[in-house]
Amino acid sequence: MPGAESKSTPVETTVTRSDDTTTRRLFFALWPPASIRRQIAGERDAIGPVSRQRVPAHNYHLTLLFLGDQDADQLGNIQSLGDALVGESFELALDRWGFFDQARVAWLGARAPKACLELADALKSGAEALGLEFPTRPFVPHLTVFRRVAPPFSPCRIEPIGWFVRDFSLIESIPHQPYQVLRSWHLE
């Protein structure tokens, strides 16, 4: 990405699974620190009982690229995308509520700065270059806070939550477990 001086550096080692799973459900995301998670949970709780299915704070994330089910043998190649990426840190202001009708989820979102858009685009381009098949969706920077929301969703105003993003992560979704951070990379 333009303007960055060096490649992103890994900050966590790979998590290995003890089962013999042949596919892994993966996505690249921004993983908020505990202080931001607490603020998001506070805003979520302040809007009341929108749904009985709250996303637990330990699963909050902002998806950069959803890869879906990928062959487990591709994990090393997928991690190499993060190794090769050059990116800049950036500030997000989580300042708006939103709702996806089809998915029936309520979310807290932000206007993406240029560095965030470049990061999402670089991950998508890299995954395409690897020949990975994944669902293509427009990038809408958001953190899901409620699932199974019945419309209409009309939330109150929000006090913006400032989040200085310094890294991004590769996450695995395992049924009935918290999301697993497989690896994270620092942004310059």
Side-chain angles (χ1 to χ4, degrees), residues 69-144:
D69 292 331
Q70 296 295 325
D71 188 322
D73 293 338
Q74 285 284 357
L75 185 58
N77 290 332
I78 292 168
Q79 289 179 338
S80 72
L81 293 176
D83 294 338
L85 254 170
V86 174
E88 297 176 2
S89 55
F90 52 91
E91 177 115 20
L92 282 178
L94 300 170
D95 61 0
R96 65 199 68 195
W97 289 106
F99 178 70
F100 292 138
D101 286 328
Q102 267 192 327
R104 294 182 43 217
V105 299
W107 48 265
L108 184 57
R111 186 172 293 122
K114 183 179 177 187
C116 182
L117 295 172
E118 289 174 345
L119 179 58
D121 286 345
L123 288 166
K124 182 177 183 234
S125 296
E128 289 170 342
L130 286 175
L132 300 178
E133 293 184 22
F134 55 93
T136 55
R137 301 174 179 163
F139 178 57
V140 178
H142 71 282
L143 292 106
T144 299

